[in-house]
Amino acid sequence: MAIRSFLILFILFFFSSLNPILSLYEDQVGLVDWHQQYLGKVKQAVFHTHKTGRKRVVVSTEENVVASLDLRQGEIFWRHVLGSNDVIDGIDIALGKCHYPFIRRKYFESMESSRWADGVGIFSSGSKALKIITNLKIEKDNIVIIFSNGRLNAVSCIDGEVLWEKDFEGESLKVQQVIQPPGSNLIYVVGFVSSSLFEMYQINALNGELLKHESAAFSGGFLGEVSPVFSETVVALDSTGLILLTISFQNGKISFHQTPISNLVKDSFGPAKIITSSVTGIFAIKMNAVTIVIRVKDESKLEVVEKTNHETSISDALSISEGQQAFALVQHASHEIHLRVKLAHNWDDNLLKESVKMDQHRGLVHKVYINNYIRTDKSYGFRALIVMEDHSLLLLQQGEIVWSREDGLASIIDVTTSELPVERDGVSVAKVEHNLFEWLKGHMLKLKGTLMLASPQDVAAIQSMRLKNSEKSKMTRDHNGFRKLLIVLTRAGKLFALHTGDGHIVWSYLLQSLQKSKVCQHPIGLNLYKWQVPHHHAMDENPSVLVIGKCGPSSDAPGALSFVDTYTGKELSSLSLVHSVAQVIPLPYTDSTEQCLHLLIDADKHAHLYPKTPEAISTFEREFSNIYWYSVEDDNGIIKGHALRGKCTGEVADEVCFDTRELWSIVFPSESEKIIAIVTRKLNEVVHTQAKVIADQEVMYKYISRNLLFVATVALKGSVEIGSVTPEESWLVAYLIDTVTGRILHRVTHHGSQGPVHAVFSENWVVYHYFNLKAHRYEMSVIEIYDQSRADNKDVWKLVLGKHNLTSPISLYSRPDVITKSQSYFFTHSVKAIAVTSTTKGITSKQLLIGTIGDQVLALDKRFLDPRRTVNPTQAEKEEGIIPLTDSLPIIPQSYVTHALRVEGLRGIITVPAKLESTTLVFAHGVDLFFTQLAPSRTYDSLTDDFNYALLLITIVALLAAIFVTWTLSERKELQENWR
């Protein structure tokens, strides 16, 4: 009976524990890295001709990316991410023997060429190229004409050799256009020498010989750019923007013809702006919100062919047959865009007219590029590549969106996180999505795969079940805290919510407050902050974020606020501020609805409190005397400390406006030092313990302060590029400053060193990276700061028994008794970003996450940057974990978090603690996005992903069978004994 009771209890326990085991397993499955590739906002696109048989388009972007996209699905066929100094100004595809794109970029001082994969060549130049002409031929060589760096160059299509060069730098000519008449070997270079002098150069394209040079003055002056309308005619505006000038230079003679815009459009008002286009005989002007398309019949007659209040984009000309050019017009109206393709010489007829429904959160159409193809009936079809206001890229064909790409994610400027909703009570993930049979089947298949006994059908079934059963994209919280929303703000002013499970876009919203308007002509997104984080009594509220922007690049530009629900992506409200936003200070206080208090500092040093509620004001006034902050004037080399003084007075008087006072200032000598880096601790960082027990059983107390600031300065001569100065001319100084009192707690000088400096501050230590000119190598230094005011409490037994004295008063106005320890190490890589892992309770050991010049993320144990490392550590130090000292930091290939992947254009690394203490969530962003989970001390509080659940199940079943057999034999033996 005892065995039977035990067996029943064991079976009940086993089946009652299936759900937790299943849930634990499912929380581990599928939570792997994800990596997404993007391009950025497209600024030029060139289609492969249908003669080449390649359905691809080559694009260049604002993120210095050149890529080839498949026209069928929009996937990247190949991609090259250039450096930050390699600004791409334009691309083109040469005809004849050069069947690959030419890319011009600001990089080299002389012309240079190279060849990429898939037959792609690159020609680099020293500055912006205005025109590329690719259909000239000299003997057996095709040539490319490029204007760059004030020079006109003819470059061989075969090897990139410069065949001839014409220098315009000494002519003081501001070149506007480089024009080549069709079928001609002549090239016209036109531009302005001054605000009222127009010049024309006629050049032989074959040898670079100057044939003619003419100039003509116009008393009314010129404004803006010129637009070519014929091979020997351009259109410009006078200095008032109210008169159109048709400038002809036929036969080398310059003539002007004036046409007041009021003669063309009766209700015209305000200055106009020319929209440049390469369409023969057509150009457009924009006056406020009105777009006017004008046809040039001859140099003396202009005709308005269309006037619209809709936002209009015009493509470049597309040659579809001998002597015929087509172009596209895209107009945005409400939730639709209207696409028309016309012939340049026949405005009245449309080759194509389509309307496509468009998501309003993509904004307006910014650019359009068209391509033609041959239909089965031998007629022409057209496809249009559309660049939207949110930097997304779409392909339109036959009235539908064939594919779209969210390339705005290549330009993220700030990131925050949001928790997902809590799963409702009574709903079990295991019960809803799986049953016991499927679970057992899955583990048996996994066991077959582990033992290499799985058939191809079993392998397919395993993959299918993993995708089906994966919880990684579930829209509720998991008990380990792995599933979250990454809320990102892009340069286009668009918010995205990305799921950490697989990186898919949950929602996106183009902020109205960051869109161009009459009130705000140059909106700029600044930062993201958590606005409402529901806890306890406010759990019914959705979390929300605060987006801060401003209308213009100047420091006194008015600010703009938007409040967005992180679950739905809905904009709750927005504010157009009358004051500027120079600095944002998140305060550690909330109101009853869990709205976080924020202090916005304007350019006049007034502080404005948000939210503007009586409860927030009351909370703020209670903590009035405890609020301090600092400001930095990089250009002047000044750091100042501030506090609140009282309510604002005068014209800016407001219930939530407060005057400030300056407490202290540190002025760095402008003739010898320049501020290049400033770093503070994370506001939400958790420190597990202030005490640190060292090898000799003594206790060192970390100097923990949220008001500690790391500042790096460099000699003025050392603020240039690496290698531009000698070691004697440059030095780097690191400071630790208390931002409440302005005291410099520590200062160290690195002679013969220079920036750039990348640093990270955590707990009581700071790590920073710089270049050592003397050693010709990069270095990383660490500074740890400890509190010496507790010298009497160094005995570890006092700490254990609670007899140490922690009741002594501490004041920020008394000079702190601190001690620092520091050390420097060589590091082989240049660094783009540095972050540190963060966990819920701060128990797990720290790792540095280093974004290398190779666009990868390296995890480096903080113990390698322990300033207490020695060449021969004692046995006690070895037991403590002290690593023997070496002059350089190790680069372990297995420590690359990104593995073999690259986060192209890496700009930032964000770490977020999971609920599981051992795990940190890591998000790296640049042109690409990368997300992973990291366990610096391994997953000591959970089972690993490769835990063999199938073997565990088999073991349990075998035990059950053994118990059942034993019980049967025991019962039979007992029965036989009773019969005796």
Side-chain angles (χ1 to χ4, degrees):
M1 290 297 295
I3 295 177
R4 183 183 301 174
S5 301
F6 174 77
L7 179 61
I8 293 172
L9 288 172
F10 185 85
I11 293 173
L12 288 174
F13 171 78
F14 170 70
F15 283 102
S16 66
S17 63
L18 277 179
N19 283 348
I21 293 174
L22 176 60
S23 299
L24 177 62
Y25 173 71
E26 291 300 332
D27 278 336
Q28 299 295 331
V29 168
L31 292 173
V32 296
D33 307 341
W34 50 263
H35 177 238
Q36 298 174 352
Q37 294 181 326
Y38 294 100
L39 303 176
K41 184 181 181 182
V42 171
K43 59 183 184 181
Q44 193 163 358
V46 180
F47 291 88
H48 281 277
T49 62
H50 60 268
K51 294 180 181 179
T52 64
R54 296 175 179 174
K55 292 187 177 181
R56 298 178 200 156
V57 58
V58 180
V59 299
S60 67
T61 74
E62 293 182 353
E63 302 301 323
N64 299 337
V65 177
V66 183
S68 177
L69 299 178
D70 180 14
L71 288 176
R72 295 179 180 87
Q73 297 179 338
E75 296 177 348
I76 298 173
F77 183 72
W78 57 257
R79 182 184 66 158
H80 292 277
V81 182
L82 307 182
S84 58
N85 294 327
D86 301 354
V87 179
I88 303 169
D89 299 302
I91 59 175
D92 207 345
I93 292 183
L95 303 177
K97 293 185 178 180
C98 286
H99 293 291
Y100 48 80
F102 285 89
I103 298 98
R104 49 200 170 179
R105 54 180 181 167
K106 297 177 182 174
Y107 188 44
F108 301 106
E109 287 301 320
S110 60
M111 301 302 300
E112 183 173 313
S113 69
S114 60
R115 186 177 291 268
W116 287 345
D118 191 34
V120 176
I122 176 168
F123 279 72
S124 308
S125 63
S127 71
K128 186 172 182 179
L130 298 176
K131 186 69 176 178
I132 294 181
I133 303 172
T134 57
N135 59 349
L136 297 179
K137 192 168 184 178
I138 298 179
E139 296 179 353
K140 296 182 179 181
D141 188 7
N142 287 63
I143 65 171
V144 181
I145 306 297
I146 300 178
F147 180 85
S148 73
N149 203 27
R151 295 187 294 268
L152 191 67
N153 303 272
V155 182
S156 169
C157 186
I158 295 176
D159 56 11
E161 180 186 356
V162 178
L163 303 178
W164 57 259
E165 177 180 289
K166 177 63 178 175
D167 190 0
F168 290 94
E169 269 190 314
E171 308 292 340
S172 302
L173 178 68
K174 185 179 179 182
V175 175
Q176 294 291 320
Q177 289 291 335
V178 179
I179 305 169
Q180 183 217 7
S184 171
N185 289 331
L186 297 179
I187 293 176
Y188 292 101
V189 178
V190 297
F192 306 132
V193 172
S194 62
S195 60
S196 59
L197 186 64
F198 179 85
E199 291 205 354
M200 180 275 298
Y201 291 81
Q202 187 185 74
I203 297 171
N204 187 331
L206 299 179
N207 53 25
E209 179 186 357
L210 177 62
L211 302 177
K212 283 187 180 180
H213 171 214
E214 298 289 339
S215 62
F218 178 71
S219 59
F222 304 102
L223 176 67
E225 299 180 348
V226 303
S227 178
V229 289
F230 297 114
S231 58
E232 296 178 329
T233 305
V234 297
V235 174
L237 286 167
D238 77 334
S239 58
T240 65
L242 301 175
I243 298 177
L244 284 169
L245 301 172
T246 307
I247 308 173
S248 173
F249 40 88
Q250 292 181 4
N251 301 320
K253 294 182 179 180
I254 301 174
S255 62
F256 300 98
H257 184 270
Q258 303 180 46
T259 305
I261 297 177
S262 58
N263 292 354
L264 302 173
V265 184
K266 293 182 179 179
D267 54 349
S268 63
F269 54 93
K273 179 183 178 182
I274 286 185
I275 303 174
T276 59
S277 172
S278 63
V279 182
T280 301
I282 297 288
F283 72 99
I285 60 174
K286 190 169 184 179
M287 303 180 68
N288 294 328
V290 179
T291 302
I292 303 164
V293 183
I294 301 172
R295 178 164 56 194
V296 183
K297 289 190 172 181
D298 55 51
E299 63 180 70
S300 61
K301 188 173 182 181
L302 305 180
E303 178 188 8
V304 175
V305 292
E306 183 164 317
K307 176 186 172 185
T308 178
N309 292 323
H310 298 308
E311 287 289 333
T312 303
S313 294
I314 303 176
S315 74
D316 285 337
L318 172 68
S319 179
I320 58 175
S321 62
E322 188 68 29
Q324 283 194 330
Q325 287 184 338
F327 66 99
L329 286 94
V330 176
Q331 294 178 339
H332 206 116
S334 186
H335 299 298
E336 287 187 334
I337 60 172
H338 305 296
L339 171 65
R340 290 177 293 162
V341 178
K342 294 177 173 290
L343 288 174
H345 66 277
N346 185 4
W347 181 267
D348 298 329
D349 296 331
N350 295 315
L351 295 176
L352 178 71
K353 186 175 182 180
E354 296 175 345
S355 294
V356 181
K357 290 186 178 180
M358 185 63 62
D359 182 359
Q360 61 178 339
H361 297 312
R362 294 192 183 278
L364 302 174
V365 176
H366 273 196
K367 293 181 181 180
V368 57
Y369 306 93
I370 62 168
N371 174 240
N372 66 311
Y373 59 92
I374 306 296
R375 296 193 180 106
T376 54
D377 60 358
K378 304 301 181 180
S379 62
Y380 282 112
F382 295 90
R383 56 175 71 96
L385 193 68
I386 306 290
V387 183
M388 302 299 294
E389 185 178 1
D390 67 343
H391 298 184
S392 61
L393 187 66
L394 304 90
L395 183 72
L396 307 184
Q397 188 172 334
Q398 297 180 354
E400 295 182 353
I401 299 176
V402 180
W403 51 260
S404 63
R405 295 180 51 87
E406 294 291 351
D407 284 309
L409 286 169
S411 56
I412 292 174
I413 59 177
D414 203 3
V415 183
T416 189
T417 59
S418 173
E419 295 289 347
L420 284 163
V422 178
E423 192 169 20
R424 294 182 180 179
D425 295 336
V427 179
S428 170
V429 175
K431 290 180 180 179
V432 171
E433 296 186 354
H434 310 283
N435 58 46
L436 181 59
F437 174 76
E438 290 177 344
W439 186 74
L440 290 172
K441 180 181 176 182
H443 282 294
M444 293 306 297
L445 285 172
K446 182 181 178 183
L447 180 61
K448 290 177 69 176
T450 304
L451 299 175
M452 302 181 71
L453 300 175
S455 64
Q457 292 79 10
D458 292 338
V459 173
I462 292 171
Q463 296 296 332
S464 176
M465 292 187 70
R466 282 181 175 177
L467 291 174
K468 179 181 176 182
N469 297 337
S470 175
E471 286 189 354
K472 62 183 180 180
S473 58
K474 192 176 177 66
M475 286 301 296
T476 56
R477 299 182 195 182
D478 61 305
H479 63 274
N480 287 332
F482 294 157
R483 292 196 297 264
K484 297 179 186 291
L485 290 179
L486 293 168
I487 312 299
V488 302
L489 175 65
T490 68
R491 192 180 300 127
K494 190 171 186 177
L495 272 182
F496 289 88
L498 307 178
H499 198 293
T500 58
D502 56 5
H504 77 273
I505 298 173
V506 178
W507 55 259
S508 61
Y509 182 77
L510 185 62
L511 296 166
Q512 301 296 320
S513 59
L514 296 181
Q515 285 185 274
K516 186 177 179 180
S517 62
K518 293 181 179 179
V519 178
C520 186
Q521 288 294 318
H522 303 286
I524 300 173
L526 297 176
N527 296 105
L528 268 176
Y529 296 93
K530 293 183 178 180
W531 177 250
Q532 189 173 22
V533 185
H535 293 93
H536 310 300
H537 54 277
M539 287 299 292
D540 293 334
E541 300 287 339
N542 287 359
S544 56
V545 292
L546 167 64
V547 184
I548 298 182
K550 62 178 182 177
C551 294
S554 63
S555 59
D556 58 351
L561 307 182
S562 291
F563 306 90
V564 181
D565 188 317
T566 62
Y567 286 172
T568 64
K570 180 182 178 182
E571 187 173 26
L572 304 175
S573 62
S574 62
L575 295 173
S576 295
L577 307 181
V578 295
H579 60 81
S580 60
V581 180
Q583 192 174 357
V584 181
I585 304 170
L587 301 175
Y589 316 118
T590 60
D591 60 14
S592 59
T593 63
E594 303 292 347
Q595 287 186 351
C596 303
L597 274 60
H598 291 75
L599 206 60
L600 273 60
I601 313 299
D602 63 24
D604 297 324
K605 303 302 180 186
H606 293 112
H608 305 266
L609 177 67
Y610 292 89
K612 297 181 177 182
T613 60
E615 184 183 0
I617 296 173
S618 175
T619 302
F620 181 75
E621 288 178 343
R622 286 198 302 270
E623 303 293 339
F624 193 87
S625 60
N626 296 325
I627 297 174
Y628 301 88
W629 71 94
Y630 68 92
S631 62
V632 181
E633 299 176 14
D634 294 335
D635 296 336
N636 300 324
I638 301 175
I639 301 178
K640 297 179 180 179
H642 306 274
L644 297 168
R645 184 168 59 189
K647 291 286 185 70
C648 291
T649 57
E651 296 181 359
V652 293
D654 192 325
E655 283 293 319
V656 294
C657 178
F658 301 87
D659 284 330
T660 64
R661 56 194 175 98
E662 183 180 316
L663 298 177
W664 55 265
S665 65
I666 298 175
V667 181
F668 297 96
S670 58
E671 67 278 0
S672 60
E673 292 186 51
K674 180 181 179 181
I675 299 174
I676 59 171
I678 290 180
V679 177
T680 59
R681 282 181 56 203
K682 281 186 177 180
L683 294 176
N684 59 351
E685 183 184 32
V686 177
V687 179
H688 177 63
T689 177
Q690 190 177 358
K692 181 177 181 178
V693 181
I694 58 178
D696 55 4
Q697 300 302 309
E698 288 191 353
V699 180
M700 297 181 68
Y701 292 92
K702 304 172 185 175
Y703 186 81
I704 304 295
S705 173
R706 296 187 185 275
N707 302 310
L708 211 54
L709 178 69
F710 169 80
V711 180
T713 66
V714 71
L716 286 182
K717 290 186 177 181
S719 60
V720 295
E721 292 184 0
I722 292 175
S724 302
V725 293
T726 62
E728 292 74 21
E729 294 176 316
S730 183
W731 57 87
L732 186 143
V733 187
Y735 299 86
L736 292 178
I737 301 173
D738 189 314
T739 59
V740 174
T741 62
R743 287 194 177 97
I744 297 176
L745 303 182
H746 180 68
R747 179 181 184 273
V748 60
T749 302
H750 301 274
H751 294 284
S753 299
Q754 69 172 128
V757 171
H758 297 277
V760 62
F761 206 141
S762 178
E763 294 189 353
N764 69 318
W765 52 266
V766 59
V767 171
Y768 52 102
H769 176 277
Y770 54 92
F771 188 76
N772 187 324
L773 289 167
K774 290 183 177 180
H776 299 286
R777 298 174 70 178
Y778 289 99
E779 278 189 3
M780 293 185 75
S781 292
V782 57
I783 300 174
E784 292 185 358
I785 182 168
Y786 293 93
D787 188 354
Q788 285 292 97
S789 62
R790 301 179 184 180
D792 297 334
N793 300 321
K794 288 187 175 181
D795 191 349
V796 68
W797 292 110
K798 288 185 178 181
L799 179 67
V800 173
L801 299 175
K803 295 183 178 181
H804 56 300
N805 180 22
L806 294 178
T807 60
S808 57
I810 298 174
S811 173
L812 288 172
Y813 291 100
S814 61
R815 186 172 185 84
D817 185 10
V818 297
I819 186 175
T820 60
K821 295 180 179 296
S822 60
Q823 185 63 272
S824 297
Y825 305 90
F826 290 124
F827 191 68
T828 57
H829 290 305
S830 175
V831 166
K832 288 187 173 183
I834 304 180
V836 63
T837 54
S838 55
T839 55
T840 305
K841 299 177 182 178
I843 299 174
T844 305
S845 60
K846 300 283 187 180
Q847 279 189 341
L848 293 173
L849 301 177
I850 303 171
T852 67
I853 193 66
D855 292 323
Q856 291 186 297
V857 179
L858 175 71
L860 184 66
D861 196 320
K862 169 58 176 63
R863 294 184 304 158
F864 287 110
L865 283 151
D866 191 330
R868 295 170 53 235
R869 288 177 63 184
T870 58
V871 177
N872 296 306
T874 64
Q875 184 61 34
E877 289 176 333
K878 289 180 180 180
E879 292 175 358
E880 184 189 344
I882 299 294
I883 301 173
L885 179 65
T886 56
D887 62 347
S888 61
L889 297 172
I891 304 296
I892 305 171
Q894 293 81 3
S895 297
Y896 280 102
V897 176
T898 47
H899 313 298
L901 301 173
R902 296 179 63 183
V903 187
E904 296 284 3
L906 178 66
R907 284 189 295 269
I909 303 172
I910 311 298
T911 61
V912 182
K915 287 184 180 178
L916 210 60
E917 170 61 22
S918 65
T919 308
T920 297
L921 308 181
V922 180
F923 177 62
H925 64 89
V927 175
D928 295 347
L929 307 183
F930 177 83
F931 178 86
T932 190
Q933 298 172 17
L934 193 63
S937 300
R938 306 211 174 191
T939 50
Y940 55 82
D941 49 1
S942 66
L943 297 175
T944 60
D945 292 346
D946 57 353
F947 183 82
N948 198 328
Y949 292 88
L951 183 59
L952 174 64
L953 180 64
I954 291 173
T955 304
I956 293 173
V957 171
L959 287 173
L960 286 172
I963 292 172
F964 182 78
V965 170
T966 305
W967 171 61
T968 303
L969 294 174
S970 176
E971 288 288 320
R972 184 177 298 175
K973 183 178 180 181
E974 184 179 356
L975 180 62
Q976 290 176 352
E977 289 178 353
N978 289 338
W979 275 107
R980 290 178 183 176

